[in-house]
Structure formats: C-alpha cells, structure tokens
C-alpha cells in the first residue's frame, strides 16, 4: 500500500507518512509453489536422504546443465564456496585480476586462499570490468582473470579471453547474478574455464542458500566434484584435498520447485524493468541501466540507476535516505568498492588511484526493489517519489534538518 506525494511535507523524511507500510526490499525471495515444495519435502521425509549427492541435487544439476547447454553443473552450498573451489580447481595462485566493483565475495574467494586480487577498473556503459585496463596490470605472478557479469549483464568475454590466451592465463566468471541470461545468444554458464552462479535467497532463482559451478571441461568437473566432497572417490577413499561444498536436498527441492515456474518469474522481472523504464524516463541526471534487447535471454534481476549529482543536484545518498524513510530499502550495490573494504584497503591504500570509474560509479549507483512480490503500482509509487524528489532537490536538502542523523546511520556511513 502506498500514498502519493504532492507536497514536500508528504515526504516521510519531512514528517509525512511513509509510502509503504512495510519495508520493501531489493531482493525479496521468490518462494515458488508451496504444495510442490512440500510434496518434495514429504519425499525427503520418507527417504531420509538429506544431503550428499541426493536425488534432488542430481535432478537439479542435470536440469540446469540441460537448460544452459553446458556439460557439467556441480551444485554447491553457496556461491562463495563454489567460487573458492573453482579458483582452486583451476590452479589459480599468486595474483588474479578482478574488478573491484563487485560483491565482496569475489575478492574474498581469492584472498581466502592467499591469492592476491588485483583490482581492475570498469567501463562506464555497464560497470563491468574494462578489458582495456587489464593488460597493464599483468605481472609474472598473474595466473588468471575473474570476470564478473555484474547485475546479470555479461562482461566483455571475447576481449578478456583474448588477453588471457595471449598471456596464458585462466579465466573464470563470477556469474552469481547472471543465471538464465545469455551473451551473444549463448547462455551464460558456458564461458571460460568455469562459471559460478549464486542461488542465494535474494537471487530471483534461489535454493535458500546455494550455488553451482558450470563447466564444459570433463577433467575440471571431476576435480571440482572431488573437492566439494572432501576428496572422497568412494567409501573410505580420499584421493584429493577437499572441503565441504555440498548442496543439501531441501535446497535442491526449492530449486526444482522454482525451476518449474521460472518463466513466470522471468516475466515478472521483465515487466518490473519495463515499468521502471517507462516511469523513470527524462529525469535529468538519472540513468537507468538498460538490458540488451539483442539477447534472447535475460533475467532482469537488478534495477540499477545511476545519479549524476552535477545534474540532479541531489546526491545518491540523500535519495537513499529519502527512500529508506519511505520504507523503500534501495541498496548501494556495490559501494564503496572492494578496494575500500578490509583487508584490501589496508593492503592497497592507493588502489583507488587506478580505479577512477569504480570510484565514480560507487558514488552514483542505487539498486531498486524488484521480484515477483512487487506490483506495477508499487513500482509506479517508487518512481513517483524519485521523480518528485529530483524535481525539488534544493528545497528538500535545505529542509531536512536530520541529514546528519541519516549520514551517521550505518547505511550511509563511509
Ligand atoms: N559474487 C557476486 C557478484 C554476488 O553478487 C554474490 C552474492 C556472490 C558472489 C556470493 O554468492 P553467495 O555466497 O551469497 O551465494 C546479498 C546476498 O547475501 C548475496 O548473495 C548477494 N550476492 C548480494 C548482492 O546481496 P546482502 O548482505 O546485501 O543481503 P541482505 O541480507 O542485506 O539482503 C538483501 C535484501 O533482501 C534485504 O534488503 C532483505 C531481503 N531479504 C533477505 C533475505 C536473506 C529477504 O527479504 N529475505 C531473506 O531471506 O547480500
């Protein structure tokens, strides 16, 4: 339920009633058909098979591999562990090139294994890693590149892979946000040595917690299967160093249930994106990042806007404060950039000097709510508030006595 704003006093930050009674999140989980999920839970109760490569996990793996046209899908307990295992299985060490403008897990998955993430700047068009900036950062210690398909938008795979080939580097993609999107007509999941998805609750396709490594390399797939199960090749027989990266049966049951209705989830995301696009046009200084119309598949999972303060006269953080007071919990994915978070800010205090666009975009970006829970009217209300606020930037700024409180709030603290 939301109310329209016609006077400044209607804004919750100026004492009005919040537009939304309950908090609206960027990634409220899609839950799928409860009956179908409970039917699977009933089977799980009867079989008492809860994890360790159970039937639901096997079914989910083969369905995903088939859907994406990739030889192997190895389901995992989450995207971060899947990344760590893929990195290890590919034999990365020393230094690996990676964008800083990503979720912290991309960098942590390397550093966790004493591999140094070397941060690369991004492109202005879509905020993915800029291949033009890659080559100069390659040293004798570089062993690989991790590209990130940020917000479901493919990074520049051809250019990245050409550079990797020239320098004999391995390429892995962090495709955590790109499940069921394509790149030049080919499903994401089939690029590089391996690609890693996240099926976390906040992703449009979730398994509560979960993830997967996709690869067409048979030997790599076998190694990853060993690694995610302590290196067991049979009862009492360990032939490799491994860890516990297994997905459990309840998670896989959730995945299978959501796969059954994936088309309607994709449709909802697309409709939401179209509504945002329609309602956020012609606002000076506001750019809604578009998805390519050329691609046959896209998950439309993230609604990303960039605010150029020089033109809006309103900083992204002030808009964030206004939206949060209206119970619209927009997020600054990915502020302030991995290079400004620990331990990297201590390790590389001058990293920002090589990351001008990362710095700029991290100040401008805001991700807005979407998912099947959102109605057209909810989205229209969010857009109405954004438009209303950006029509009165100076008046609102001068009247909010409490910016300091908002700025001290954990969300807005640098
Ligand atoms: N690489 C990339 C590029 C990634 O984006 C991610 C994950 C990874 C690697 C690692 O994959 P995982 O190991 O996570 O599988 C969230 C997610 O936890 C994370 O999975 C995701 N990326 C990242 C972009 O976002 P937070 O800390 O911002 O989420 P949180 O807990 O604040 O939740 C987001 C919103 O969803 C909230 O506004 C509340 C709502 N929510 C959340 C949960 C968990 C619900 O309504 N219900 C829920 O159950 O990280």
């Amino acid at each position: 339920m939301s109310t329209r704003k016609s006077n400044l006093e209607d804004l919750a930050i100026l004492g009005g009633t919040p537009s939304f009674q309950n908090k609206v999140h960027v990634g409220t989980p899609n839950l799928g058909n409860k009956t179908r999920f409970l039917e699977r839970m009933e089977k799980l109760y009867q079989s008492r098979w809860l994890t360790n490569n159970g039937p639901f996990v096997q079914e989910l793996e083969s369905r995903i591999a088939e859907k994406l046209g990739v030889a192997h899908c190895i389901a995992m307990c989450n995207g971060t562990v899947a990344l760590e295992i893929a990195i290890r299985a590919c034999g990365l060490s020393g230094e690996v090139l990676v964008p800083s403008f990503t979720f912290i897990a991309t960098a942590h998955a390397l550093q966790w294994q004493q591999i140094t993430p070397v941060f690369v700047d991004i492109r202005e068009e879509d905020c993915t890693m800029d291949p033009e900036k890659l080559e100069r950062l390659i040293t004798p210690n570089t062993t690989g590149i991790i590209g990130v398909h940020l917000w479901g938008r493919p990074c520049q795979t051809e250019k990245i892979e050409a550079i990797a080939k020239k320098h004999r580097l391995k390429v892995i993609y962090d495709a955590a946000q790109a499940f069921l999107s394509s790149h030049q007509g080919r499903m994401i999941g089939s690029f590089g040595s391996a690609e890693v998805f996240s099926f976390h609750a906040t992703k449009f396709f979730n398994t509560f917690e979960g993830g997967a490594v996709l690869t067409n390399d048979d030997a790599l797939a076998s190694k990853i299967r060993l690694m995610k199960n302590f290196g067991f090749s049979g009862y009492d027989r360990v032939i490799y160093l491994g860890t516990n990266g297994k997905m459990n049966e309840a998670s896989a049951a959730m995945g299978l249930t959501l796969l059954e209705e994936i088309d309607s989830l994709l449709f909802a995301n697309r409709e939401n994106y179209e509504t945002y696009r329609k309602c956020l046009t012609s606002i000076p200084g506001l750019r809604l990042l578009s998805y390519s119309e050329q691609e046959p598949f896209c998950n439309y999972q993230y609604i990303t806007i960039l605010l150029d303060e020089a033109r809006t006269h309103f900083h992204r953080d002030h808009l964030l404060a206004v939206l949060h007071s209206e119970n619209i919990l927009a997020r600054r994915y990915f502020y302030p950039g991995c290079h400004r978070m620990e331990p990297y800010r201590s390790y590389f205090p001058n990293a920002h000097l090589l990351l001008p666009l990362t710095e700029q975009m991290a100040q401008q970006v805001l991700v807005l709510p979407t998912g099947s829970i959102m109605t057209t009217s909810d989205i229209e209300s969010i857009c109405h508030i954004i438009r209303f606020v950006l029509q009165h930037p100076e008046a609102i700024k001068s009247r909010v006595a409490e910016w300091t409180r908002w700025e001290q709030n954990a969300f807005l603290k640098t």
Side-chain angles (χ1 to χ4, degrees):
M1 223 9 206
S2 69
T3 52
R4 291 294 166 124
K5 313 284 173 186
S6 37
N7 302 303
L8 291 184
E9 291 70 31
D10 295 337
L11 290 170
I13 205 159
L14 293 173
T17 309
S19 290
F20 292 86
Q21 217 174 346
N22 300 314
K23 294 190 187 316
V24 182
H25 296 288
V26 289
T28 303
N30 291 324
L31 289 177
N33 184 294
K34 191 160 136 190
T35 311
R36 292 290 291 139
F37 178 69
L38 292 180
E39 279 167 13
R40 292 191 164 99
M41 287 300 95
E42 183 58 37
K43 278 193 190 163
L44 182 151
Y45 262 69
Q46 281 165 15
S47 68
R48 291 190 187 240
W49 196 274
L50 308 186
T51 183
N52 288 17
N53 203 28
F56 290 147
V57 163
Q58 289 182 35
E59 187 182 345
L60 184 68
E61 286 180 341
S62 60
R63 290 203 176 203
I64 290 176
E66 190 189 355
K67 212 167 174 50
L68 303 185
V70 182
H72 306 277
C73 168
I74 303 128
M76 301 257 184
C77 54
N78 60 55
T80 306
V81 169
L83 261 177
E84 286 168 9
I85 292 177
I87 287 165
R88 199 167 190 119
C90 285
L92 301 190
S93 62
E95 294 172 8
V96 170
L97 303 173
V98 66
S100 171
F101 200 63
T102 176
F103 189 56
I104 193 68
T106 323
H108 278 357
L110 291 164
Q111 190 64 50
W112 192 251
Q113 321 190 54
Q114 276 80 51
I115 301 168
T116 303
V118 174
F119 296 120
V120 185
D121 209 6
I122 50 173
R123 297 164 4 115
E124 191 161 12
E125 307 86 293
D126 57 6
C127 299
T128 63
M129 185 161 68
D130 187 349
E132 308 301 327
K133 310 266 173 67
L134 271 174
E135 220 160 355
R136 71 190 73 154
L137 296 170
I138 295 172
T139 74
N141 295 327
T142 310
T143 58
I145 304 173
I146 300 186
V148 180
H149 303 307
L150 195 78
W151 304 311
R153 287 179 186 79
C155 59
Q156 301 280 294
T157 56
E158 319 71 38
K159 289 186 179 165
I160 291 171
E161 285 169 32
I163 294 167
K165 196 170 170 200
K166 185 170 155 197
H167 295 271
R168 295 166 182 258
L169 305 175
K170 288 268 170 60
V171 180
I172 297 174
Y173 293 104
D174 178 341
Q177 306 181 347
F179 186 57
L180 293 186
S181 288
S182 60
H183 179 40
Q184 294 175 344
R186 187 170 133 199
M187 292 310 283
I188 286 177
S190 60
F191 292 87
S193 292
E195 299 212 62
V196 175
F197 293 116
S198 163
F199 303 144
H200 181 258
T202 54
K203 302 287 185 291
F204 87 105
F205 170 79
N206 83 82
T207 57
F208 301 115
E209 288 271 4
V213 181
L214 277 283
T215 180
N216 280 318
D217 180 332
D218 299 344
L220 185 65
S222 305
K223 203 196 258 190
I224 290 172
R225 284 201 181 279
L226 283 172
M227 280 184 159
K228 68 125 195 210
N229 187 28
F230 313 102
F232 275 110
S233 68
Y235 286 132
D236 312 325
R237 187 156 181 263
V238 171
I239 58 165
Y240 218 83
L241 175 65
T243 183
N244 184 354
K246 291 167 285 157
M247 178 182 276
N248 69 66
E249 285 290 279
S251 288
M254 182 61 151
L256 287 169
T257 306
L258 280 168
L259 268 191
E260 283 168 0
E261 51 200 275
I262 204 75
D263 289 342
S264 67
L265 300 177
L266 287 167
F267 183 77
N269 275 2
R270 165 132 210 178
E271 288 287 288
N272 290 348
Y273 165 70
E274 292 298 347
T275 307
Y276 274 113
R277 205 156 71 138
K278 197 174 74 199
C279 298
L280 290 177
T281 47
S282 317
I283 302 180
L286 183 150
R287 172 159 74 109
L288 171 71
L289 274 200
S290 60
Y291 286 97
S292 165
E293 296 297 321
Q294 267 71 60
E295 289 302 330
F297 299 96
C298 178
N299 64 25
Y300 299 95
Q301 190 175 191
Y302 291 90
I303 305 295
T304 309
I305 58 170
L306 295 157
L307 238 61
D308 177 2
E309 191 189 7
R311 295 181 64 211
T312 56
H313 309 291
F314 208 68
H315 191 269
R316 181 273 319 270
D317 288 352
H318 290 157
L319 181 60
L320 182 70
V322 170
L323 293 175
H324 274 233
S325 69
E326 302 288 346
N327 280 333
I328 303 161
L329 301 192
R331 296 293 294 270
R332 297 182 293 187
Y333 292 141
F334 291 100
Y335 171 85
C338 297
H339 67 290
R340 286 197 178 270
M341 294 180 169
E342 292 296 355
Y344 315 106
R345 64 187 278 171
S346 297
Y347 292 168
F348 321 112
N350 295 321
H352 61 279
L353 297 174
L354 289 176
L355 302 167
L357 275 166
T358 304
E359 293 270 301
Q360 183 187 319
M361 296 304 170
Q363 286 295 328
Q364 295 190 352
V365 70
L366 210 51
V367 171
L368 301 174
T370 186
S372 61
I373 199 167
M374 299 295 291
T375 65
T376 303
S377 147
D378 291 338
I379 293 169
E380 285 168 352
S381 298
I382 292 171
C383 296
H384 161 76
I385 292 164
I386 293 173
R387 188 178 288 278
F388 181 75
V389 166
L390 296 181
Q391 278 164 352
H392 307 95
E394 301 301 345
I396 296 171
K397 271 193 290 190
S398 65
R399 288 183 55 181
V400 177
E402 296 212 10
W403 285 128
T404 324
R405 181 173 73 78
W406 279 100
E407 277 155 5
Q408 281 167 354
N409 180 300
F411 279 109
L412 303 185
K413 227 171 174 174
T414 49

